[in-house]
Amino acid sequence: ATPLAAVLFPRARLPSSSASRVAHTHMMLLASRRCPPFAAALRPAGTRALAFKATHKRQPKKEESSGGRDPYATLKAAIIAEPDPELSTAIMAEKETAAARRERRAEYSRQAITEVKRVMGHLSRLIKLRQAAIEALPEELQEAARKPDLTPAPIQRRIFTDTAPIPDYQAKLLRRGED
């Protein structure tokens, strides 16, 4: 940094790394826009062209005498143009597959409802059979049969598995626990 930069920016630290040098150069460029007389003294040699580009903005191109470019020209051309035959066949194939998907979903829904009705019908028949069995009992047993059984399941119960139980497995566990 030059002594002039230290005078203009007394609190600014001098750059030590490449990132801070870039930030310092950017700060100097901003100062050159605010203070044009000091621009030549503050700018490093390689940034003069950059500062010129930053201060001198490019002039917009002159529009044609027909009133300028139409922003909707592409859309108008797409509307007027003939449809692409390959694209239209692809869209039709997609519509056909969408119809097939709808049909598959409808068929799946019909099968699911049929299954639900089958299960619910089975449960209804079981309830009717239970009520018929209770009616077949003598009067003194019917009242006891209609009460729900709220006793909890036993803690030590046999759980049926796909494989046969290991002989003397519980005894082996008890012996292991004693050791």
Side-chain angles (χ1 to χ4, degrees), residues 57-120:
K57 296 188 178 181
R58 189 181 297 179
Q59 295 295 326
K61 291 184 179 179
K62 303 257 182 188
E63 296 294 331
E64 294 179 12
S65 62
S66 65
R69 188 173 148 248
D70 184 12
Y72 298 107
T74 317
L75 292 173
K76 290 176 184 176
I79 292 170
I80 295 171
E82 292 292 322
D84 185 15
E86 293 177 9
L87 187 60
S88 62
T89 56
I91 290 171
M92 291 304 292
E94 181 64 29
K95 285 183 181 177
E96 290 172 6
T97 57
R101 283 195 301 267
R102 273 194 300 275
E103 184 58 37
R104 280 196 307 270
R105 281 197 303 261
E107 181 62 31
Y108 176 78
S109 179
R110 280 191 290 272
Q111 289 176 355
I113 292 297
T114 304
E115 179 67 16
V116 166
K117 286 182 178 180
R118 186 188 68 75
V119 169
M120 297 308 275

Side-chain angles (χ1 to χ4, degrees), residues 2 5-6 8 13 16 19 24 31 35 39 50 55 60-61 69 76 85 106 114 125 128 145-146 159-160 167 170 178:
T2 62
L8 289 175
R13 290 183 15 220
S16 58
H24 183 72
C35 310
L50 189 66
T55 56
K61 291 184 179 179
R69 188 173 148 248
K76 290 176 184 176
T114 304
R125 284 188 296 278
K128 288 178 184 176
R146 285 194 177 98
I159 299 173
F160 298 102
Q170 293 292 332
E178 292 172 0

